[in-house]
Amino acid sequence: MKNEILHAVKWSALCEVTAKIISPISTMILARILAQEVFGIIASLTAITSLADLLTDAGFNAYIVQHEFKNASEKEQVYNIAFWSNLILSLLSFMLITVNRYFFAQLVGAQGYEKALSVACIVIPLTSISSIELAIMKRNLEFKSIGIIRIISKVIPLLITVPLALLGFSYWSLIIGNLLGESVNIILCIKFGKFNPGLYYNIQTLKKILDFSAWAYLESILEWLLSNIAIFTVGAVYGVYYLGIFKTGINIISQILMSVYALYANVYKAAIAKEQNNLKKFKNVFLSFQRYTSILSIPLGIGTFLYREFITGIMLGEKWGEAVNLIGMWGLVTMFSISFGNFFSDAVRAKGYPRKLVIVDSIYLASLLILLRYVGENGLEFDRFCLMYCLLKLVQPLLQIFIGIRTTKIKLIQVIRNCFPQLAASAVMAAAILLFQFSNLSKLKALISIFFCIIIYFIVFYMITPDKKKFRGFWYNKIVRRNL
């Protein structure tokens, strides 16, 4: 089991890094070609398509990954029920949105883009075809195949979208690229996957699936609301220009920082679910994954905040100056979620208590709705709204930590000790960054200072970490011996 997990981590990490790098690169290029309004329009349309895609899943993926089946026959039956249910629901969702496209376009502030919404919604049934196969592959820890599929499916939209954007296709370039990418995803899932859907369906088994995943499904819906509910207020109060800045700023930093968690996330969820009844092994899995993720996530989040102007200029270009403070603050709070909140959240879910996570998300959503209502009624400067929105984000990981400690029996002091070297090294790194920022640096000098601060971080970390023997052994085995 241990070797299987390590093998899965290796391929998951390699492929996830590659796949996650592609999205920011695509955004970096398109941000210099397309206007901010285009990103606002796409954000509005994506809010509808992503919700429909989420509703059609109905918790099938979570059931496939987490449920312990009695035998191969039951497993095959569930796979078929999940596949056909997902496909039928997605087709119904597509038809519902297409018929009522004027209503949905008005709902998200995208009046005049009803045709674009109808075309963009084609992705819903396309996604449903591949989603069950990918869930089966996750259950079987086939992360090498998943990674290859994800990388190719990410590269295709990039190769299509950029030329179309240069030719003046505006938001259509993003829609067409997304559809072609998902089409390639289906082809690759058929090639790499081992599941062939058969004509089997059982209502009683469907009810069991829905009963098992009801709370996880509700949590997914709440997560969608938390990610997209602000779109309605930002679009109405500030317009599509600022909506584009808001969503693009959040998305590009989330893509970069979440790639650190994505290195281990899929494997971590599968591994900790398998140890849910063994407290000692459960804690070991939690602390091991949390330690290695925070080695990168903590300094990356702090560095993003302190170098926010430089990062905004590099990632999006000079015309995105209004996103600087949003990018810096979002990087900081996302780091806290990745390093602590997400791990407790997945651990609580693995223990079989998704209901508690629904309570956490409901409290966070309520606090967010209070802010959005205030902004909708009284207005607020865009920068101040972004600051308050980022600070409210901390409510979610703080509650996840609180619930996680009570549910998993993992003490907070264990977690603090687990990442103390990372925190201490990051503090030294932050001090070095602040010293560099006393003088105005050119872009080249700022880039050199970043590399210098990275070196400082890893030197300090290595000096104080109790795992230095492991790191020294890794360096020797992977780097030195290989070249002898």
Side-chain angles (χ1 to χ4, degrees):
M1 178 63 187
K2 184 177 180 180
N3 291 333
E4 187 179 7
I5 291 175
L6 290 174
H7 181 75
V9 168
K10 181 184 72 173
W11 281 106
S12 177
L14 176 63
C15 297
E16 283 290 342
V17 168
T18 307
K20 289 291 183 181
I21 287 174
I22 295 170
S23 292
I25 290 174
S26 178
T27 303
M28 287 172 64
I29 297 171
L30 294 171
R32 290 163 168 79
I33 301 173
L34 302 173
Q36 287 90 333
E37 289 87 345
V38 172
F39 291 92
I41 294 165
I42 292 298
S44 299
L45 301 181
T46 303
I48 297 297
T49 58
S50 62
L51 176 60
D53 189 46
L54 174 63
L55 293 175
T56 58
D57 175 71
F60 297 125
N61 286 2
Y63 188 85
I64 288 172
V65 174
Q66 297 178 8
H67 185 68
E68 292 297 326
F69 297 102
K70 296 177 182 178
N71 50 54
S73 177
E74 182 194 8
K75 189 187 298 183
E76 190 72 17
Q77 291 172 2
V78 167
Y79 291 170
N80 279 295
I81 293 168
F83 175 83
W84 292 114
S85 299
N86 202 349
L87 181 60
I88 292 168
L89 287 172
S90 65
L91 290 171
L92 291 174
S93 298
F94 168 71
M95 289 187 289
L96 177 66
I97 295 172
T98 302
V99 172
N100 299 281
R101 58 190 178 278
Y102 291 97
F103 166 76
F104 285 107
Q106 184 178 13
L107 183 65
V108 295
Q111 296 92 330
Y113 301 97
E114 293 81 10
K115 184 178 180 180
L117 176 60
S118 297
V119 175
C121 281
I122 297 174
V123 77
I124 299 170
L126 291 179
T127 303
S128 72
I129 296 174
S130 59
S131 64
I132 300 302
E133 185 65 69
L134 288 172
I136 296 171
M137 295 168 91
K138 286 180 183 178
R139 177 183 177 83
N140 297 330
L141 299 178
E142 297 174 11
F143 290 102
K144 179 180 178 180
S145 298
I146 293 173
I148 293 172
I149 292 170
R150 291 199 60 218
I151 291 170
I152 297 175
S153 299
K154 290 281 186 181
V155 169
I156 295 299
L158 176 62
L159 297 177
I160 299 298
T161 300
V162 173
L164 289 178
L166 289 170
L167 291 172
F169 279 80
S170 188
Y171 55 87
W172 283 109
S173 61
L174 291 163
I175 294 173
I176 294 170
N178 189 35
L179 290 175
L180 289 176
E182 193 55 49
S183 299
V184 171
N185 190 46
I186 293 173
I187 295 171
L188 293 173
C189 282
I190 293 173
K191 176 178 175 58
F192 286 100
K194 301 172 184 176
F195 168 66
N196 295 312
L199 296 176
Y200 175 84
Y201 207 84
N202 185 285
I203 299 298
Q204 294 302 318
T205 305
L206 176 63
K207 290 180 180 179
K208 291 180 181 179
I209 296 173
L210 297 178
D211 288 342
F212 177 90
S213 56
W215 286 105
Y217 183 44
L218 180 57
E219 185 196 355
S220 298
I221 294 174
L222 284 170
E223 287 289 347
W224 179 91
L225 286 170
L226 294 174
S227 299
N228 293 280
I229 194 69
I231 287 176
F232 305 102
T233 299
V234 174
V237 175
Y238 303 105
V240 291
Y241 172 85
Y242 281 103
L243 176 58
I245 291 175
F246 178 76
K247 286 300 292 183
T248 305
I250 286 176
N251 286 345
I252 194 164
I253 291 304
S254 295
Q255 287 166 357
I256 295 171
L257 292 177
M258 287 303 292
S259 65
V260 178
Y261 182 64
L263 288 173
Y264 310 102
N266 290 329
V267 183
Y268 169 64
K269 292 174 183 178
I272 202 166
K274 291 181 182 295
E275 306 295 350
Q276 58 185 286
N277 297 318
N278 187 319
L279 182 59
K280 184 178 179 179
K281 290 183 178 180
F282 187 88
K283 286 184 177 181
N284 286 339
V285 170
F286 176 94
L287 293 172
S288 294
F289 278 91
Q290 193 269 337
R291 177 169 61 254
Y292 287 109
T293 299
S294 61
I295 289 172
L296 296 178
S297 62
I298 292 177
L300 189 56
I302 294 173
T304 298
F305 175 74
L306 295 175
Y307 276 108
R308 56 191 178 275
E309 291 186 13
F310 175 78
I311 289 174
T312 302
I314 293 296
M315 299 301 296
L316 299 177
E318 300 301 326
K319 68 179 181 180
W320 291 81
E322 290 165 298
V324 168
N325 291 330
L326 172 63
I327 284 176
M329 283 298 299
W330 194 253
L332 203 58
V333 298
T334 302
M335 174 272 291
F336 188 74
S337 290
I338 294 169
S339 302
F340 304 100
N342 285 5
F343 281 95
F344 274 109
S345 175
D346 288 332
V348 171
R349 192 178 296 108
K351 281 287 187 181
Y353 297 104
R355 177 172 53 185
K356 295 183 178 182
L357 298 176
V358 169
I359 296 172
V360 168
D361 288 344
S362 298
I363 295 172
Y364 175 37
L365 179 61
S367 63
L368 194 55
L369 287 172
I370 292 172
L371 171 63
L372 295 176
R373 182 177 179 180
Y374 175 83
V375 172
E377 293 179 351
N378 303 288
L380 201 66
E381 290 182 5
F382 181 70
D383 264 356
R384 290 185 64 190
F385 163 74
C386 291
L387 174 61
M388 295 179 69
Y389 183 84
C390 291
L391 290 176
L392 270 180
K393 171 64 178 172
L394 291 172
V395 171
Q396 187 182 35
L398 287 172
L399 289 173
Q400 288 170 340
I401 293 169
F402 176 75
I403 295 294
I405 290 171
R406 295 175 63 89
T407 304
T408 64
K409 308 301 181 184
I410 297 173
K411 297 178 181 179
L412 181 60
I413 190 65
Q414 290 178 293
V415 178
I416 294 175
R417 288 174 181 167
N418 198 44
C419 58
F420 174 77
Q422 296 89 296
L423 292 168
S426 295
V428 175
M429 181 197 72
I433 293 173
L434 292 174
L435 286 174
F436 279 120
Q437 292 184 346
F438 275 119
S439 58
N440 293 323
L441 300 177
S442 64
K443 286 186 177 179
L444 178 59
K445 290 181 178 178
L447 187 61
I448 293 172
S449 73
I450 289 175
F451 284 111
F452 185 72
C453 290
I454 292 172
I455 293 171
I456 290 175
Y457 168 80
F458 280 107
I459 289 175
V460 175
F461 170 77
Y462 179 78
M463 289 173 62
I464 61 178
T465 180
D467 290 336
K468 63 177 63 179
K469 289 184 178 180
K470 290 184 179 180
F471 286 103
R472 187 164 57 240
F474 172 83
W475 173 267
Y476 179 77
N477 290 326
K478 299 295 184 181
I479 308 297
V480 179
R481 287 184 62 182
R482 183 176 295 178
N483 294 287
L484 288 178

